[in-house]
Amino acid sequence: MQSGSTPAGRVPKAPEADECMWYCQDAVHWNTNAVPSASDGFVAQAAPVLPIVAVRSANQAKCSTVASAGGQRLRTVVLHCTGVSTHRSTRQHFIFLPIHFLPTFHHQHHHHNSLQDALRDLPSSRCRNQYSRARNAVTLEDPIEYELSGISQTQINTRKGMTFASGLRSILRQDPDIIMLGEIRDAETAVMAIQASLTGHMVFSTLHTNDAPSAVTRLLDLGIEPYLAASSLLAVLAQRLVRKICPHCKSPSHPTQAEQELLKELVSDQSPYTIYHGKGCDLCRGTGYRGRLGAFELLTIDDQIQSLITQRANAAQIRSTALRNGMLPMRSDGLQKVLSGKSTIEEIARVTVEVD
């Protein structure tokens, strides 16, 4: 073995902090919108440039630095661009929509008002001759992390006046069928998104809230009239990322009394089950976790929820009604992942709250 090489399957030794920072500063294409004290940018070919990350398949990384008392603080997010497929049959998995939520979402919103049907109709690199009858999808993103063929993606640039609100106003003139808005950050963007949905466009966006029912009250707080929110909102999918058990050191464990109490609503006393945990190994750096997956909560807007929205009901009232109508809480969805051996109870309890 040559000097400096790393055995297969082992994590390479990380370089010194100053050396890694020098690598990043030299290779990153920094965002010109950033202020001098904090920088953001992208690295091409992350594996040779950022050896501290120890990624072999990725070809891009998103970096951010900020000045601290001890020097520059660096955060790197590796983007696995080589694993992204542009074929229509695999787009659903890339969008990360949970499969067991699709039947409910599709049944509630037919006539191509579901993301599943929307992705099926999008053009791909293998169906260029179908552009004339494919759906026209436009996105506004900040930043564009993954480039997908068949979708028109637009980069937000606030320094040049290209905001989510102004960009949305411009792309409405492009006659899009589907609009994917990176984030609703202010009242102007929220109003434009609602108006776009009311004029026949399918609009997808994100909000920062604690759970799915809170997204409704967040829209009202941004100045959306209750009757407009009730008539335009179709569904809200909340997501929290949890760590996955490392498959290389995964082992079964006996649930404690407290863990049995958490699982008693999903498992009957007579049903045998096994939970798992990670012992810790070199590949997961001794943490017992490797990778992440989502815990979800889907709120569909039915007649009862619409009535609560028009009455300006709070999030607790909306949640109570949704649970009576069959909404699966995020913690229950996470505990199902515990029973399937994908995560641990400690991880689910860390990122979700218990529902009374």
Side-chain angles (χ1 to χ4, degrees):
M1 184 179 297
Q2 296 180 357
S3 176
S5 60
T6 304
R10 297 296 300 274
V11 177
K13 181 181 179 181
E16 297 296 333
D18 292 341
E19 180 183 358
C20 180
M21 180 65 69
W22 181 83
Y23 278 136
C24 293
Q25 293 283 1
D26 184 60
V28 172
H29 304 287
W30 296 108
N31 183 4
T32 57
N33 290 332
V35 296
S37 59
S39 301
D40 300 279
F42 282 88
V43 178
Q45 301 298 331
V49 176
L50 298 177
I52 193 173
V53 180
V55 175
R56 299 177 179 85
S57 61
N59 58 6
Q60 195 175 71
K62 183 171 64 173
C63 298
S64 175
T65 66
V66 64
S68 65
Q72 288 287 330
R73 177 184 174 90
L74 171 68
R75 181 178 183 269
T76 303
V77 177
V78 178
L79 305 177
H80 295 268
C81 301
T82 55
V84 177
S85 173
T86 58
H87 192 253
R88 289 183 298 175
S89 61
T90 58
R91 277 209 183 108
Q92 292 179 24
H93 303 286
F94 173 67
I95 295 298
F96 208 41
L97 194 65
I99 300 300
H100 60 278
F101 283 140
L102 285 176
T104 303
F105 197 70
H106 177 64
H107 174 73
Q108 194 77 10
H109 316 296
H110 51 282
H111 299 304
H112 294 289
N113 279 336
S114 70
L115 183 57
Q116 180 186 19
D117 287 336
L119 294 175
R120 185 184 295 120
D121 284 350
L122 291 180
S124 70
S125 56
R126 299 188 182 183
C127 58
R128 301 292 185 181
N129 57 341
Q130 299 180 359
Y131 267 31
S132 58
R133 59 185 180 90
R135 312 195 85 187
N136 178 17
V138 182
T139 72
L140 290 172
E141 305 175 51
D142 186 22
I144 298 175
E145 296 181 349
Y146 296 97
E147 295 184 3
L148 299 175
S149 62
I151 298 177
S152 178
Q153 299 171 264
T154 303
Q155 171 68 51
I156 296 299
N157 191 333
T158 55
R159 189 174 184 178
K160 297 182 178 179
M162 185 62 173
T163 62
F164 282 109
S166 63
L168 183 56
R169 189 178 297 106
S170 298
I171 65 175
L172 285 176
R173 303 187 185 99
Q174 302 290 320
D175 192 25
D177 300 305
I178 305 168
I179 300 173
M180 296 184 181
L181 194 60
E183 183 181 352
I184 295 178
R185 299 176 178 175
D186 50 40
E188 184 182 6
T189 306
V191 171
M192 290 294 300
I194 294 296
Q195 291 178 351
S197 66
L198 293 175
T199 53
H201 304 88
M202 186 192 305
V203 180
F204 298 94
S205 188
T206 64
L207 279 170
H208 287 286
T209 59
N210 292 328
D211 53 19
S214 298
V216 177
T217 56
R218 173 62 176 160
L219 287 175
L220 300 183
D221 292 340
L222 286 173
I224 302 300
E225 292 295 332
Y227 72 94
L228 290 177
S231 59
S232 61
L233 192 61
L234 296 179
V236 180
L237 181 68
Q239 169 188 286
R240 289 290 181 90
L241 293 180
V242 298
R243 292 179 294 177
K244 295 171 58 178
I245 300 175
C246 176
H248 304 284
C249 60
K250 181 179 178 180
S251 61
S253 62
H254 183 72
T256 64
Q257 184 65 30
E259 292 173 340
Q260 293 177 9
E261 288 294 324
L262 287 174
L263 295 170
K264 67 180 181 180
E265 296 183 1
L266 299 178
V267 181
S268 62
D269 296 336
Q270 295 77 19
S271 301
Y273 63 91
T274 304
I275 63 175
Y276 297 86
H277 74 282
K279 292 182 177 180
C281 62
D282 291 341
L283 293 177
C284 64
R285 295 179 173 85
T287 63
Y289 297 98
R290 185 177 176 88
R292 296 190 294 179
L293 74 162
F296 300 94
E297 181 179 81
L298 178 64
L299 170 67
T300 55
I301 310 300
D302 54 20
D303 293 339
Q304 296 184 42
I305 301 297
Q306 284 183 338
S307 177
L308 290 175
I309 295 175
T310 55
Q311 298 171 21
R312 287 189 175 270
N314 57 37
Q317 294 173 306
I318 296 175
R319 168 173 286 277
S320 178
T321 302
L323 290 175
R324 289 197 303 268
N325 294 343
M327 184 183 76
L328 184 68
M330 186 179 296
R331 171 159 289 194
S332 298
D333 180 62
L335 292 176
Q336 288 183 356
K337 293 174 171 60
V338 173
L339 294 175
S340 61
K342 297 178 181 179
S343 190
T344 63
I345 292 182
E346 296 83 5
E347 185 67 9
I348 299 302
R350 181 181 66 87
V351 301
T352 63
V353 295
E354 187 175 1
V355 179
D356 297 332

